[in-house]
């Protein structure tokens, strides 16, 4: 299903921030903002929720720690216990200080790699995906704010010109 959107281009990130705040103050919904670099505070100005990636990172770290403990207990204690440097291999707890670096490394490994995979899947950025960038200039030096039109095209156009837009386009966007 296609819907009409209005795209306003800006040349400065400060002007964009003021525009986003003004558009939100007028109670219009901003669909998306495309920027060539991260703009500090833009997510708060747009009213986006905080990310929960830190929670998933903690859960992935706990999973990595669990895998490390189970793996080391199985390999070094149950499956093939060895006398390394005169240290007994009768119980996991007696050998745990030697296993701390492995536990740390697997915790970090699982948290980092699974967090990146989660980010890519959540952002729908998989291999060979066609880019969704509506204007190639937003990868260089322009900022684009996209708003949905709901029988208020003239009002939105006037508002966006007042916010300092350098170009305004109305296009059809596939949902």
């Amino acid at each position: 299903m296609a819907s009409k959107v209005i795209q306003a281009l800006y040349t400065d990130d400060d002007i964009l921030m003021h525009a986003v705040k003004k558009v939100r103050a007028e109670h219009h919904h901003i669909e998306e903002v495309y920027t060539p670099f991260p703009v500090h505070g833009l997510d708060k100005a747009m009213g986006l929720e905080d990310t929960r990636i830190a929670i998933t990172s903690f859960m992935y770290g706990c999973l990595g720690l669990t895998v490390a403990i189970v793996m080391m207990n199985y390999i070094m204690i149950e499956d093939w216990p060895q006398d390394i440097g005169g240290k007994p291999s009768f119980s996991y707890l007696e050998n745990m200080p030697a296993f701390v670096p492995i536990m740390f490394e697997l915790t970090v490994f699982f948290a980092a790699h699974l967090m990146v995979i989660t980010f890519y899947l959540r952002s729908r950025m998989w291999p060979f995906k066609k880019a969704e960038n509506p204007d190639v200039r937003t990868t260089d030096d322009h900022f684009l704010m996209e708003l949905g039109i709901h029988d208020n095209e003239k009002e939105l156009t006037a508002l966006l010109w007042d916010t300092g837009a350098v170009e305004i386009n109305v296009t059809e966007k596939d949902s």
Side-chain angles (χ1 to χ4, degrees), residues 4 10 19 22 26 38 40 62 76 102 106 108 118 137 147 150:
K4 281 180 102 176
Y10 298 90
K22 190 169 183 178
E26 295 287 328
H40 180 70
C62 290
M76 298 299 290
I102 300 167
L106 280 177
V108 172
T118 300
R137 293 176 288 179
L147 295 101
H150 307 288

Side-chain angles (χ1 to χ4, degrees), residues 11-14 16 33-40 42 138-143:
T11 55
D12 187 52
D13 57 335
D14 292 329
L16 173 74
V33 175
Y34 298 91
T35 64
F37 54 83
V39 178
H40 180 70
L42 185 60
T138 60
T139 62
D140 186 24
D141 62 349
H142 282 70
F143 303 85

Side-chain angles (χ1 to χ4, degrees), residues 4-136:
K4 281 180 102 176
V5 293
I6 189 164
Q7 298 171 341
L9 277 162
Y10 298 90
T11 55
D12 187 52
D13 57 335
D14 292 329
I15 296 172
L16 173 74
M17 280 294 283
H18 292 299
V20 167
K21 289 176 184 175
K22 190 169 183 178
V23 168
R24 292 264 304 154
E26 295 287 328
H27 304 292
H28 295 289
H29 176 68
I30 300 171
E31 297 288 334
E32 189 66 68
V33 175
Y34 298 91
T35 64
F37 54 83
V39 178
H40 180 70
L42 185 60
D43 52 345
K44 298 266 191 263
M46 288 178 62
L48 299 177
E49 296 178 10
D50 288 335
T51 180
R52 294 183 300 269
I53 195 112
I55 297 168
T56 60
S57 175
F58 177 76
M59 292 188 314
Y60 294 150
C62 290
L63 176 67
L65 180 64
T66 304
V67 167
I69 291 170
V70 169
M71 178 190 73
M72 289 180 302
N73 185 50
Y74 177 73
I75 292 172
M76 298 299 290
I77 306 301
E78 295 176 18
D79 184 40
W80 195 6
Q82 298 178 42
D83 185 7
I84 301 173
K87 295 179 183 172
S89 26
F90 303 123
S91 76
Y92 180 81
L93 289 176
E94 290 176 349
N95 291 312
M96 195 172 68
F99 296 153
V100 169
I102 300 167
M103 291 188 290
F104 172 77
E105 291 298 332
L106 280 177
T107 299
V108 172
F109 179 84
F110 271 67
H113 286 78
L114 292 176
M115 193 168 50
V116 167
I117 292 169
T118 300
F119 173 77
Y120 282 144
L121 292 175
R122 181 71 177 95
S123 301
R124 296 183 178 100
M125 293 177 17
W126 36 79
F128 310 111
K129 182 178 186 274
K130 185 177 177 279
E132 296 178 3
N133 194 356
D135 194 323
V136 72

